[in-house]
Amino acid sequence: CYQAMVNQSQQAIDNLDYQSAINFLKAAKACEDKPGDDRLLQQMDALRNQITRSILSVQETYQQGNSNIPQQNAQDLDAPNYGSVTDPRDKRSYRTIQIGKQTWLADNMNVALDSSWCYDNNPKNCQTYGRLYTWEAAKEACAGLGGGWHLPNKEEWEVLIDNFGGVSDGKDAYKALIKGGESGFDALLGGNRNSDGEYYLLGEFGFYWSATEKDATNPWYFYFFGVDQSVSRDSYLKSFGQSCRCVKN
């Protein structure tokens, strides 16, 4: 079973054959309970991950209106099933994902507002990581989506992270919530901006505001630490620029 799947997968990879890739993933799932040597098992897992990433990339291109390839229901791929929401202010679309009973954005906010910036003032970083917002601007960014979208409070972040082991260790949650993780949340390591306009830690940390204030000047935020591969929380000045995700009522 496994050897046949490995052989068939090459057509999907070489020719970017969309339907062949779908068929491979379905057949591979049917092989899961059948015996196979360790080498083939590892090879097929690697192929399955490679093909799944390729198809999800195709789906994202389709959703942006740049492809004629037919959209495939992500449930058929045993992968996250994304919805979408469009910001009425700039008509930008964001992916949405349901995790437990919550509905979150699966992309960082990127609407241009006062007190928001691209990392290093480079627009390419906004395209990749979204904008960095002060705390007040982050609240405005989420509220402007309408439809019950808002900046998540501390408890809402904790509910999300508790689905994957919580912040006490934070490593399982990191693996699930970081870009490419099983949850589909796709957190990014977008760095931050201090009150003096200096940028730090791109590719090392992802800092995300919560709506909950620890005190009058310091709200809680949650951060993804790439080197340690963990998720944790802290509080700091509202004037810092950090990434923004939104959750729906």
Side-chain angles (χ1 to χ4, degrees):
C1 182
Y2 285 102
Q3 185 64 64
M5 290 301 97
V6 169
N7 293 341
Q8 290 177 23
S9 70
Q10 202 59 50
Q11 179 187 5
I13 293 172
D14 291 343
N15 301 325
L16 297 178
D17 185 327
Y18 188 78
Q19 191 57 52
S20 293
I22 297 295
N23 292 339
F24 166 77
L25 290 171
K26 290 180 178 179
K29 191 171 182 63
C31 283
E32 286 178 353
D33 297 326
K34 297 183 179 180
D37 65 56
D38 290 343
R39 180 183 61 83
L40 286 175
L41 291 173
Q42 292 173 1
Q43 188 176 3
M44 199 176 81
D45 281 344
L47 288 166
R48 178 162 49 192
N49 290 338
Q50 180 181 353
I51 292 173
T52 299
R53 286 194 298 270
S54 297
I55 294 173
L56 291 176
S57 177
V58 167
Q59 285 183 287
E60 184 174 353
T61 301
Y62 176 89
Q63 290 169 355
Q64 293 171 352
N66 298 322
S67 174
N68 293 321
I69 298 175
Q71 189 173 21
Q72 173 74 24
N73 189 328
Q75 290 178 339
D76 291 343
L77 311 182
D78 197 22
N81 190 13
Y82 293 110
S84 65
V85 63
T86 299
D87 191 329
R89 293 165 292 191
D90 61 4
K91 309 305 179 185
R92 186 188 304 274
S93 292
Y94 297 92
R95 295 175 302 157
T96 64
I97 184 73
Q98 183 166 340
I99 301 174
K101 296 182 179 180
Q102 297 175 307
T103 301
W104 288 81
L105 291 190
D107 298 300
N108 288 355
M109 284 298 296
N110 197 19
V111 62
L113 301 174
D114 290 341
S115 299
S116 71
W117 306 271
C118 299
Y119 189 97
D120 272 346
N121 299 312
N122 185 342
K124 290 184 179 179
N125 286 325
C126 274
Q127 294 172 14
T128 302
Y129 298 100
R131 298 181 74 84
L132 301 174
Y133 297 86
T134 64
W135 184 68
E136 293 288 353
K139 292 194 295 180
E140 181 183 349
C142 288
L145 289 174
W149 290 98
H150 60 277
L151 187 67
N153 61 35
K154 179 173 177 282
E155 290 72 23
E156 288 170 315
W157 271 110
E158 289 170 344
V159 168
L160 171 68
I161 295 168
D162 284 347
N163 286 315
F164 307 101
V167 297
S168 57
D169 174 68
K171 293 186 180 296
D172 288 340
Y174 180 95
K175 292 176 183 177
L177 295 169
I178 199 68
K179 184 174 177 62
E182 65 180 86
S183 70
F185 184 79
D186 281 357
L188 300 172
L189 306 180
N192 67 4
R193 178 188 185 274
N194 69 18
S195 302
D196 295 325
E198 298 168 319
Y199 295 89
Y200 295 98
L201 301 171
L202 182 70
E204 299 179 39
F205 283 84
F207 301 92
Y208 288 90
W209 286 120
S210 89
T212 304
E213 296 172 274
K214 183 179 181 181
D215 55 46
T217 57
N218 298 289
W220 288 100
Y221 66 87
F222 289 76
Y223 64 91
F224 293 76
F225 181 18
V227 174
D228 192 48
Q229 296 198 345
S230 63
V231 182
S232 191
R233 61 181 171 238
D234 204 345
S235 61
Y236 209 64
L237 298 173
K238 296 177 179 180
S239 57
F240 265 48
Q242 302 192 147
S243 297
C244 174
R245 286 292 176 97
C246 311
V247 69
K248 192 173 184 180
N249 289 345

